[in-house]
Amino acid sequence: MLKRRCLAAFMAGVVHALAAHSAQASPALPGVGASDARSVANPDLPPWSAQGRVQTALGGRCTGFLIAPDVVETAAHCLYLPKTGHYIQPEDIHFLRAYSRGRYAAHARVARFLVPPGYDPRNEAATAAYDRVTLFLDAPVADRQQTLTVTQGLPQPGTPVTIGGYEQDYQEILIRDQNCQVTALISDQAGHPMIAHDCAATRGSSGAPVLTHQGDHWVALGVQALANSGRGGVAAPLSQ
């Protein structure tokens, strides 16, 4: 029953994809739900200090996170331009680490990026499990200690997680939900595994890491890709 509900939530999430390019997006806040569980995060403290705002010269905004001092992960759909059928040029993409109200700890442009070959922005429902992109910056923006570790393997349902991002109703600050969990492992329409969660996160959180605490450090399980019609969403795993 849980798997069926999560699959239904995934399909609702496809309709409410967090992509900024969705011209028919609802004015509501998909992924947040009836009661807003989000709170303000301090971008100067880990794990939030590893995150930043990914923005483009055309005005697009998403969330991203560092896995190395000069390497960022975010959602691939954030860089796709439906009108042209191409991705935006790397030099038109900026990463602002620890952004808050116009200030940021460091800034760099993207030198190049790599989209998994399994992702097709024209067929998101069947390839959403690969909706992530690796950005290679033109300069380091952090120390190694200010980056996130990428997990190996898929998390178990019930794993405590947290998500924070620069969301459409709080674009100038990092907003988070830190009281949520992995609800199930589901699949996109082609059968590729994805991580379903019940964290409150809406448009603009695309590209944010699904985080869990392991020992004395934070690890990234996946990249936020889709929002449910109610609270929660679906992430593309980093382990595939």
Side-chain angles (χ1 to χ4, degrees):
M1 179 66 73
L2 176 60
K3 186 174 182 180
R4 287 199 296 271
R5 288 199 298 266
C6 288
L7 284 170
F10 171 77
M11 293 311 300
V14 171
V15 176
H16 293 289
L18 297 178
H21 65 258
S22 179
Q24 301 300 322
S26 167
L29 297 176
V32 173
S35 58
D36 194 340
R38 297 171 299 168
S39 60
V40 177
N42 185 343
D44 296 327
L45 300 177
W48 318 113
S49 54
Q51 294 187 212
R53 196 161 80 172
V54 176
Q55 60 186 51
T56 72
L58 298 180
R61 294 187 182 93
C62 278
T63 304
F65 60 98
L66 291 164
I67 60 171
D70 58 352
V71 181
V72 171
E73 291 288 327
T74 190
H77 72 246
C78 294
L79 308 184
Y80 183 69
L81 304 174
K83 290 184 178 179
T84 66
H86 299 285
Y87 290 99
I88 193 168
Q89 293 298 305
E91 60 268 21
D92 292 328
I93 308 167
H94 302 255
F95 180 69
L96 309 175
R97 185 176 73 81
Y99 179 90
S100 182
R101 296 183 174 91
R103 305 180 69 178
Y104 42 87
H107 161 264
R109 288 179 181 266
V110 173
R112 61 186 179 93
F113 60 77
L114 180 63
V115 179
Y119 180 64
D120 183 353
R122 298 160 299 181
N123 189 10
E124 290 186 333
T127 64
Y130 297 100
D131 186 0
R132 53 185 173 81
V133 57
T134 304
L135 311 179
F136 299 92
L137 306 179
D138 63 4
V141 292
D143 297 326
R144 173 64 65 176
Q145 294 78 9
Q146 295 169 311
T147 66
L148 293 172
T149 300
V150 174
T151 188
Q152 300 298 315
L154 295 167
Q156 293 297 313
T159 300
V161 293
T162 183
I163 290 181
Y166 297 93
E167 304 180 22
Q168 70 171 30
D169 52 340
Y170 292 98
Q171 294 182 13
E172 293 299 307
I173 59 175
L174 189 63
I175 198 84
R176 67 185 177 187
D177 184 355
Q178 55 184 351
N179 297 303
C180 43
Q181 64 180 345
V182 174
T183 55
L185 298 179
I186 63 170
S187 301
D188 63 18
Q189 285 187 349
H192 307 121
M194 299 192 74
I195 303 166
H197 61 81
D198 62 1
C199 298
T202 192
R203 301 180 187 91
S205 67
S206 286
V210 177
L211 296 166
T212 193
H213 206 249
Q214 292 184 356
D216 60 351
H217 65 287
W218 290 91
V219 299
L221 303 173
V223 177
Q224 172 78 342
L226 304 168
N228 295 340
S229 56
R231 178 173 170 172
V234 186
L238 284 161
S239 59
Q240 61 183 9

